[in-house]
Amino acid sequence: MPNASAIEGQWPKFQNGGLSSIDTALPTEWSPEQNIAWTADIKGYGQSTPIVAHDQIVVTSTSGENKDDYHVSSFAIDTGELNWQVDVANPSPFKNSPMVSRAAPSAVATEAGFVAFFEGGVLLAISPSGETQWKRDLVAEFGPITARHGLSASLEADSTRVFVWVEREEAPYILAVNPTTGEDIWKADGLGATSWASPRLVPVEDGQQLVCSASGKLVGLDPSTGERLWEFTDLSNNTSNTPTIVSEGRFLIGASDGRGETNAGASAASNGLIEISKGDDGKFQAGFVWQAKKATCTFGSPVVAGDTAAIVNRTGVLYRLDLETGEQVSAKRTDAGGLWATPLVAGGNLYLFGYKGTTSVIPLADGKEIAENRCWPEGGDGEKTPGFGGGNVLYAAAPAGDRLLIRRGDKLYAIGAK
């Protein structure tokens, strides 16, 4: 299967390009007093994933009452010390509120460094040493980015293009830009439906396709031209989950129960395994290989866990479904609770990152939860910039060497031996 990464890096893009299962053994037990190698304060607040490439960790954030400034910060993997920080004024200020995304799009690593994107329209490239290489204002170029709860689509990239998805209320669009110059390679129409998911390069027989998921719609594009190759509409409530790669032409898709918009059975049917294939006419098409019967997601996407698909619902019930047939193997409530971060499989263990800060560690071999871990005390620690619901939110996790990174809005934790 082709490598979905743009460059060599341990975690060079959001969800590692849909490959959320790694061989590296990561720590399985920690607490605020134990097994935390270092912590680093992040300026302002952000909801993006840490990017690990070019021997450093890069995160994005925003600060100010109206998200007045954006920040791209680099930290040393071994110590957490700040290597550099690039600050950029937001050309389109908007009230800094837990109800609207705050620096949610994750950056992406390229051969030349990093590219970052912010909901105020700022798109910029930064070298590994922290020098700005180019910068654009997409609001000035293409108009305001207005979307319910803001924009959260992370960047995707291959070796020659960075993909930017702006699914706004009017005239949504998808861009492919040159990572070296920042110039447009192509611009295509967006999906015209609600989405907080990210674009995903999916390997197919003759290369890759760029797949985008929005409410009631999946679309596959040619990454080199932006041509729409296929559209699939037999699903619903797939607004938050990004496709997870299973194999050539196959990916998992997730959907929520819609907070009462539809019944659980109907929503579960939108969680499953999708296959891209060619019809007799030579044109591409996509459809379900199997659909779940009970399992639904929230914000964390389904992941491949051994020979199963792992799906966690909003109350923290972990469903494991046979990857080939979709038959339910198990369903167990976990200590993690609901997820905002996508799970991670590392060293034979499944990590579930509860948004309130509890991480459950579950061996794939027997499915028995072996640890319930936290980086900060339950109930928060009095920070001034809480997430939705009033407490600190665990937004993302990523490996960095043999350590595990936990990212909340204002702080980065590295778990493992000092």
mmCIF file of all heavy atoms in Angstrom, residues 14-15 49 298-301 303 312 338-344 351-355 393-398 406-407:
data_model
loop_
_atom_site.group_PDB
_atom_site.id
_atom_site.type_symbol
_atom_site.label_atom_id
_atom_site.label_comp_id
_atom_site.label_asym_id
_atom_site.label_seq_id
_atom_site.Cartn_x
_atom_site.Cartn_y
_atom_site.Cartn_z
ATOM 1 N N PHE A 14 -2.321 15.149 10.175
ATOM 2 C CA PHE A 14 -3.481 14.782 10.984
ATOM 3 C C PHE A 14 -3.774 13.291 10.849
ATOM 4 O O PHE A 14 -3.845 12.760 9.738
ATOM 5 C CB PHE A 14 -4.682 15.610 10.514
ATOM 6 C CG PHE A 14 -5.976 15.290 11.200
ATOM 7 C CD1 PHE A 14 -6.144 15.504 12.550
ATOM 8 C CD2 PHE A 14 -7.047 14.793 10.469
ATOM 9 C CE1 PHE A 14 -7.342 15.223 13.178
ATOM 10 C CE2 PHE A 14 -8.257 14.508 11.088
ATOM 11 C CZ PHE A 14 -8.402 14.724 12.447
ATOM 12 N N GLN A 15 -3.918 12.608 12.003
ATOM 13 C CA GLN A 15 -4.197 11.169 12.047
ATOM 14 C C GLN A 15 -3.174 10.340 11.270
ATOM 15 O O GLN A 15 -3.457 9.223 10.840
ATOM 16 C CB GLN A 15 -5.612 10.869 11.515
ATOM 17 C CG GLN A 15 -6.733 11.462 12.355
ATOM 18 C CD GLN A 15 -8.104 11.182 11.773
ATOM 19 O OE1 GLN A 15 -8.247 10.723 10.644
ATOM 20 N NE2 GLN A 15 -9.134 11.471 12.541
ATOM 21 N N THR A 49 -3.830 18.848 16.075
ATOM 22 C CA THR A 49 -2.963 17.722 16.403
ATOM 23 C C THR A 49 -1.496 18.152 16.373
ATOM 24 O O THR A 49 -1.100 18.893 15.481
ATOM 25 C CB THR A 49 -3.169 16.601 15.371
ATOM 26 O OG1 THR A 49 -4.506 16.120 15.466
ATOM 27 C CG2 THR A 49 -2.204 15.446 15.589
ATOM 28 N N THR A 298 -18.552 9.676 17.590
ATOM 29 C CA THR A 298 -18.786 11.103 17.812
ATOM 30 C C THR A 298 -17.729 11.857 17.022
ATOM 31 O O THR A 298 -17.788 11.912 15.815
ATOM 32 C CB THR A 298 -18.776 11.475 19.307
ATOM 33 O OG1 THR A 298 -17.633 10.881 19.936
ATOM 34 C CG2 THR A 298 -20.035 11.012 19.991
ATOM 35 N N PHE A 299 -16.705 12.407 17.690
ATOM 36 C CA PHE A 299 -15.687 13.172 16.975
ATOM 37 C C PHE A 299 -14.461 12.334 16.622
ATOM 38 O O PHE A 299 -13.762 12.636 15.666
ATOM 39 C CB PHE A 299 -15.273 14.388 17.802
ATOM 40 C CG PHE A 299 -16.414 15.317 18.098
ATOM 41 C CD1 PHE A 299 -16.777 15.603 19.399
ATOM 42 C CD2 PHE A 299 -17.148 15.880 17.076
ATOM 43 C CE1 PHE A 299 -17.839 16.451 19.671
ATOM 44 C CE2 PHE A 299 -18.214 16.723 17.335
ATOM 45 C CZ PHE A 299 -18.559 17.009 18.641
ATOM 46 N N GLY A 300 -14.153 11.307 17.400
ATOM 47 C CA GLY A 300 -13.025 10.431 17.093
ATOM 48 C C GLY A 300 -13.399 9.474 15.977
ATOM 49 O O GLY A 300 -14.422 8.790 16.041
ATOM 50 N N SER A 301 -12.585 9.408 14.938
ATOM 51 C CA SER A 301 -12.879 8.546 13.793
ATOM 52 C C SER A 301 -12.672 7.073 14.144
ATOM 53 O O SER A 301 -11.927 6.745 15.072
ATOM 54 C CB SER A 301 -11.963 8.910 12.620
ATOM 55 O OG SER A 301 -12.141 10.249 12.223
ATOM 56 N N VAL A 303 -10.960 3.448 13.829
ATOM 57 C CA VAL A 303 -9.586 3.084 13.494
ATOM 58 C C VAL A 303 -9.480 1.576 13.291
ATOM 59 O O VAL A 303 -10.328 0.809 13.763
ATOM 60 C CB VAL A 303 -8.577 3.521 14.580
ATOM 61 C CG1 VAL A 303 -8.546 5.037 14.703
ATOM 62 C CG2 VAL A 303 -8.879 2.864 15.918
ATOM 63 N N VAL A 312 -15.955 4.157 18.868
ATOM 64 C CA VAL A 312 -16.359 4.557 20.224
ATOM 65 C C VAL A 312 -17.494 5.564 20.136
ATOM 66 O O VAL A 312 -17.378 6.593 19.457
ATOM 67 C CB VAL A 312 -15.174 5.177 20.993
ATOM 68 C CG1 VAL A 312 -15.597 5.544 22.414
ATOM 69 C CG2 VAL A 312 -13.991 4.213 21.024
ATOM 70 N N GLY A 338 -16.560 9.657 26.274
ATOM 71 C CA GLY A 338 -16.617 10.124 24.893
ATOM 72 C C GLY A 338 -15.286 10.688 24.421
ATOM 73 O O GLY A 338 -14.490 11.196 25.215
ATOM 74 N N LEU A 339 -15.036 10.601 23.117
ATOM 75 C CA LEU A 339 -13.770 11.024 22.538
ATOM 76 C C LEU A 339 -13.935 12.230 21.626
ATOM 77 O O LEU A 339 -14.924 12.337 20.906
ATOM 78 C CB LEU A 339 -13.155 9.897 21.698
ATOM 79 C CG LEU A 339 -13.090 8.482 22.265
ATOM 80 C CD1 LEU A 339 -12.396 7.573 21.251
ATOM 81 C CD2 LEU A 339 -12.366 8.454 23.591
ATOM 82 N N TRP A 340 -12.951 13.125 21.662
ATOM 83 C CA TRP A 340 -12.786 14.137 20.619
ATOM 84 C C TRP A 340 -11.577 13.778 19.762
ATOM 85 O O TRP A 340 -11.543 14.051 18.578
ATOM 86 C CB TRP A 340 -12.630 15.540 21.229
ATOM 87 C CG TRP A 340 -13.925 16.105 21.730
ATOM 88 C CD1 TRP A 340 -15.037 15.392 22.083
ATOM 89 C CD2 TRP A 340 -14.258 17.483 21.924
ATOM 90 N NE1 TRP A 340 -16.042 16.239 22.498
ATOM 91 C CE2 TRP A 340 -15.587 17.524 22.412
ATOM 92 C CE3 TRP A 340 -13.573 18.665 21.759
ATOM 93 C CZ2 TRP A 340 -16.236 18.720 22.719
ATOM 94 C CZ3 TRP A 340 -14.213 19.864 22.067
ATOM 95 C CH2 TRP A 340 -15.531 19.885 22.531
ATOM 96 N N ALA A 341 -10.571 13.175 20.385
ATOM 97 C CA ALA A 341 -9.376 12.730 19.662
ATOM 98 C C ALA A 341 -9.624 11.358 19.056
ATOM 99 O O ALA A 341 -10.346 10.535 19.607
ATOM 100 C CB ALA A 341 -8.181 12.672 20.609
ATOM 101 N N THR A 342 -8.998 11.114 17.908
ATOM 102 C CA THR A 342 -9.083 9.796 17.287
ATOM 103 C C THR A 342 -8.204 8.806 18.036
ATOM 104 O O THR A 342 -7.091 9.143 18.431
ATOM 105 C CB THR A 342 -8.652 9.885 15.812
ATOM 106 O OG1 THR A 342 -9.630 10.653 15.100
ATOM 107 C CG2 THR A 342 -8.535 8.515 15.176
ATOM 108 N N PRO A 343 -8.676 7.575 18.277
ATOM 109 C CA PRO A 343 -7.867 6.562 18.964
ATOM 110 C C PRO A 343 -6.569 6.267 18.223
ATOM 111 O O PRO A 343 -6.411 6.585 17.036
ATOM 112 C CB PRO A 343 -8.790 5.338 18.984
ATOM 113 C CG PRO A 343 -10.172 5.893 18.862
ATOM 114 C CD PRO A 343 -10.030 7.091 17.966
ATOM 115 N N LEU A 344 -5.663 5.641 18.939
ATOM 116 C CA LEU A 344 -4.357 5.271 18.401
ATOM 117 C C LEU A 344 -4.068 3.826 18.780
ATOM 118 O O LEU A 344 -4.361 3.404 19.908
ATOM 119 C CB LEU A 344 -3.289 6.196 18.990
ATOM 120 C CG LEU A 344 -1.816 5.863 18.750
ATOM 121 C CD1 LEU A 344 -1.472 5.989 17.268
ATOM 122 C CD2 LEU A 344 -0.924 6.786 19.586
ATOM 123 N N TYR A 351 -5.382 2.830 22.366
ATOM 124 C CA TYR A 351 -5.454 3.982 23.270
ATOM 125 C C TYR A 351 -6.706 4.797 22.942
ATOM 126 O O TYR A 351 -6.887 5.229 21.796
ATOM 127 C CB TYR A 351 -4.225 4.874 23.110
ATOM 128 C CG TYR A 351 -2.938 4.265 23.613
ATOM 129 C CD1 TYR A 351 -2.311 3.232 22.909
ATOM 130 C CD2 TYR A 351 -2.338 4.720 24.785
ATOM 131 C CE1 TYR A 351 -1.130 2.669 23.361
ATOM 132 C CE2 TYR A 351 -1.145 4.165 25.240
ATOM 133 C CZ TYR A 351 -0.550 3.142 24.525
ATOM 134 O OH TYR A 351 0.628 2.595 24.973
ATOM 135 N N LEU A 352 -7.557 4.995 23.949
ATOM 136 C CA LEU A 352 -8.772 5.795 23.797
ATOM 137 C C LEU A 352 -8.624 7.054 24.635
ATOM 138 O O LEU A 352 -8.502 6.990 25.854
ATOM 139 C CB LEU A 352 -10.000 5.002 24.245
ATOM 140 C CG LEU A 352 -10.224 3.637 23.589
ATOM 141 C CD1 LEU A 352 -11.500 3.000 24.132
ATOM 142 C CD2 LEU A 352 -10.286 3.756 22.067
ATOM 143 N N PHE A 353 -8.650 8.210 23.974
ATOM 144 C CA PHE A 353 -8.380 9.482 24.633
ATOM 145 C C PHE A 353 -9.684 10.218 24.936
ATOM 146 O O PHE A 353 -10.215 10.943 24.093
ATOM 147 C CB PHE A 353 -7.467 10.334 23.751
ATOM 148 C CG PHE A 353 -6.211 9.618 23.334
ATOM 149 C CD1 PHE A 353 -6.102 9.061 22.059
ATOM 150 C CD2 PHE A 353 -5.149 9.479 24.205
ATOM 151 C CE1 PHE A 353 -4.956 8.397 21.663
ATOM 152 C CE2 PHE A 353 -3.992 8.807 23.833
ATOM 153 C CZ PHE A 353 -3.902 8.266 22.554
ATOM 154 N N GLY A 354 -10.225 10.025 26.136
ATOM 155 C CA GLY A 354 -11.461 10.689 26.515
ATOM 156 C C GLY A 354 -11.292 12.196 26.550
ATOM 157 O O GLY A 354 -10.264 12.710 27.003
ATOM 158 N N TYR A 355 -12.287 12.933 26.069
ATOM 159 C CA TYR A 355 -12.125 14.380 25.952
ATOM 160 C C TYR A 355 -11.990 15.072 27.302
ATOM 161 O O TYR A 355 -11.431 16.168 27.397
ATOM 162 C CB TYR A 355 -13.263 14.986 25.123
ATOM 163 C CG TYR A 355 -14.585 15.142 25.839
ATOM 164 C CD1 TYR A 355 -14.906 16.328 26.499
ATOM 165 C CD2 TYR A 355 -15.540 14.129 25.826
ATOM 166 C CE1 TYR A 355 -16.123 16.483 27.137
ATOM 167 C CE2 TYR A 355 -16.750 14.277 26.462
ATOM 168 C CZ TYR A 355 -17.030 15.459 27.120
ATOM 169 O OH TYR A 355 -18.246 15.604 27.761
ATOM 170 N N VAL A 393 -9.980 20.180 27.778
ATOM 171 C CA VAL A 393 -10.327 19.150 26.805
ATOM 172 C C VAL A 393 -9.055 18.512 26.242
ATOM 173 O O VAL A 393 -8.105 19.215 25.881
ATOM 174 C CB VAL A 393 -11.155 19.747 25.643
ATOM 175 C CG1 VAL A 393 -11.402 18.701 24.558
ATOM 176 C CG2 VAL A 393 -12.482 20.279 26.173
ATOM 177 N N LEU A 394 -9.053 17.178 26.166
ATOM 178 C CA LEU A 394 -7.986 16.441 25.496
ATOM 179 C C LEU A 394 -8.371 16.366 24.019
ATOM 180 O O LEU A 394 -9.309 15.679 23.644
ATOM 181 C CB LEU A 394 -7.845 15.043 26.102
ATOM 182 C CG LEU A 394 -6.575 14.249 25.788
ATOM 183 C CD1 LEU A 394 -6.466 13.040 26.712
ATOM 184 C CD2 LEU A 394 -6.506 13.791 24.341
ATOM 185 N N TYR A 395 -7.633 17.122 23.183
ATOM 186 C CA TYR A 395 -8.005 17.248 21.780
ATOM 187 C C TYR A 395 -7.305 16.252 20.862
ATOM 188 O O TYR A 395 -7.855 15.866 19.825
ATOM 189 C CB TYR A 395 -7.698 18.659 21.275
ATOM 190 C CG TYR A 395 -8.649 19.705 21.789
ATOM 191 C CD1 TYR A 395 -8.227 20.673 22.686
ATOM 192 C CD2 TYR A 395 -9.984 19.732 21.381
ATOM 193 C CE1 TYR A 395 -9.090 21.639 23.161
ATOM 194 C CE2 TYR A 395 -10.862 20.691 21.851
ATOM 195 C CZ TYR A 395 -10.407 21.649 22.748
ATOM 196 O OH TYR A 395 -11.273 22.596 23.208
ATOM 197 N N ALA A 396 -6.069 15.874 21.197
ATOM 198 C CA ALA A 396 -5.318 15.053 20.245
ATOM 199 C C ALA A 396 -4.160 14.362 20.943
ATOM 200 O O ALA A 396 -3.730 14.760 22.026
ATOM 201 C CB ALA A 396 -4.788 15.935 19.106
ATOM 202 N N ALA A 397 -3.667 13.317 20.296
ATOM 203 C CA ALA A 397 -2.493 12.596 20.791
ATOM 204 C C ALA A 397 -1.674 12.135 19.599
ATOM 205 O O ALA A 397 -2.208 11.929 18.503
ATOM 206 C CB ALA A 397 -2.906 11.409 21.648
ATOM 207 N N ALA A 398 -0.375 11.985 19.815
ATOM 208 C CA ALA A 398 0.525 11.531 18.746
ATOM 209 C C ALA A 398 1.787 10.969 19.366
ATOM 210 O O ALA A 398 2.185 11.380 20.455
ATOM 211 C CB ALA A 398 0.877 12.698 17.817
ATOM 212 N N ILE A 406 0.260 14.201 24.507
ATOM 213 C CA ILE A 406 -1.140 14.523 24.759
ATOM 214 C C ILE A 406 -1.289 16.024 24.592
ATOM 215 O O ILE A 406 -0.544 16.808 25.193
ATOM 216 C CB ILE A 406 -1.577 14.115 26.186
ATOM 217 C CG1 ILE A 406 -1.468 12.596 26.380
ATOM 218 C CG2 ILE A 406 -2.982 14.618 26.487
ATOM 219 C CD1 ILE A 406 -2.513 11.795 25.657
ATOM 220 N N ARG A 407 -2.251 16.453 23.786
ATOM 221 C CA ARG A 407 -2.436 17.870 23.554
ATOM 222 C C ARG A 407 -3.815 18.321 24.070
ATOM 223 O O ARG A 407 -4.844 17.798 23.663
ATOM 224 C CB ARG A 407 -2.346 18.189 22.056
ATOM 225 C CG ARG A 407 -2.166 19.696 21.774
ATOM 226 C CD ARG A 407 -3.454 20.376 21.438
ATOM 227 N NE ARG A 407 -3.355 21.824 21.546
ATOM 228 C CZ ARG A 407 -3.032 22.657 20.557
ATOM 229 N NH1 ARG A 407 -2.796 22.191 19.364
ATOM 230 N NH2 ARG A 407 -2.992 23.956 20.776
#
